[in-house]
């Protein structure tokens, strides 16, 4: 394989991954997936999606792209298995957000949530699996740091 061939392969995987991601976010119903997936490495698509934290929407796109095809059930099972952990992590982070928020509020500490934690608060405590999170970012008054750390440790 020449350098040009490797570039073409990576470009094809990237383009297909992005199309699947868009389909996962906005696509309705089945699509003609034969040109979309033709000649593409499913493992390459999954690897790129995992590495760039777009696995959930890419898997949703794969599910939509294979509706009505012989591979539909296998892809749905595989994609469901891949995304189950992402969805479970989103729910765990949401539960930690609720627990920490209640504990801080009980002690009169009002945090300013940032990034994913702010999104959870704004989304009515409904985390979205397309927004991967593994921590909670927030600001508090400097005078409350020691109390907040003690609360978070309990």
């Amino acid at each position: 394989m020449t350098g040009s061939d490797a570039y073409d392969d990576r470009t094809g995987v990237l383009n297909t991954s992005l199309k699947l991601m868009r389909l996962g976010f906005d696509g309705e119903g089945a699509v003609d997936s034969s040109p979309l997936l033709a000649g593409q490495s499913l493992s390459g698509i999954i690897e790129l999606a995992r590495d760039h934290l777009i696995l959930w929407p890419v898997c949703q796109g794969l599910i939509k792209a294979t509706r009505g095809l012989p591979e539909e059930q296998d892809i749905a099972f595989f994609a469901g298995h891949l995304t189950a952990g992402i969805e479970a992590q989103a729910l765990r982070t949401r539960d930690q957000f609720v627990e920490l928020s209640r504990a801080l509020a009980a002690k009169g500490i009002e945090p300013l949530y940032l990034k994913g934690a702010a999104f959870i608060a704004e989304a009515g405590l409904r985390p979205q699996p397309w927004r991967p999170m593994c921590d909670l970012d927030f600001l508090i008054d400097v005078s409350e740091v020691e109390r907040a750390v003690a609360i978070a440790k309990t």
Side-chain angles (χ1 to χ4, degrees), residues 1 4 6 9 19-20 26 31-33 43 50 56 62 71 91 104 110 114 122 135 142:
M1 177 182 291
S4 176
D9 286 348
K19 288 175 184 174
L20 287 167
D26 345 285
V31 297
D32 181 8
S33 62
S43 63
R50 185 195 63 232
W56 188 87
L62 274 171
E71 305 91 350
L91 293 174
L104 292 172
E110 189 174 329
L114 306 170
E122 290 295 316
D135 64 358
V142 69

Side-chain angles (χ1 to χ4, degrees), residues 54-73:
I54 58 170
L55 185 59
W56 188 87
V58 167
C59 283
Q60 298 309 306
L62 274 171
I63 290 168
K64 291 176 183 176
T66 55
R67 284 191 185 134
L69 297 179
E71 305 91 350
E72 176 181 9
Q73 287 183 336

Side-chain angles (χ1 to χ4, degrees), residues 37-151:
L37 298 174
Q40 295 301 318
S41 159
L42 187 57
S43 63
I45 291 168
I46 296 300
E47 181 179 345
L48 181 137
R50 185 195 63 232
D51 291 349
H52 294 281
L53 302 177
I54 58 170
L55 185 59
W56 188 87
V58 167
C59 283
Q60 298 309 306
L62 274 171
I63 290 168
K64 291 176 183 176
T66 55
R67 284 191 185 134
L69 297 179
E71 305 91 350
E72 176 181 9
Q73 287 183 336
D74 291 337
I75 293 292
F77 176 79
F78 177 67
H81 178 72
L82 288 173
T83 59
I86 296 168
E87 293 166 1
Q89 178 62 41
L91 293 174
R92 281 192 301 275
T93 304
R94 187 259 336 256
D95 293 346
Q96 291 169 343
F97 171 86
V98 169
E99 183 180 341
L100 181 61
S101 296
R102 287 181 180 157
L104 292 172
K107 299 295 184 179
I109 299 173
E110 189 174 329
L112 172 63
Y113 289 104
L114 306 170
K115 303 181 342 184
F119 182 81
I120 290 175
E122 290 295 316
L125 301 179
R126 290 184 309 276
Q128 301 299 314
W130 55 262
R131 174 60 171 90
M133 294 183 299
C134 62
D135 64 358
L136 299 169
D137 298 296
F138 60 93
L139 298 174
I140 56 170
D141 188 279
V142 69
S143 66
E144 303 287 357
V145 171
E146 287 183 31
R147 285 189 332 131
V149 169
I151 291 166

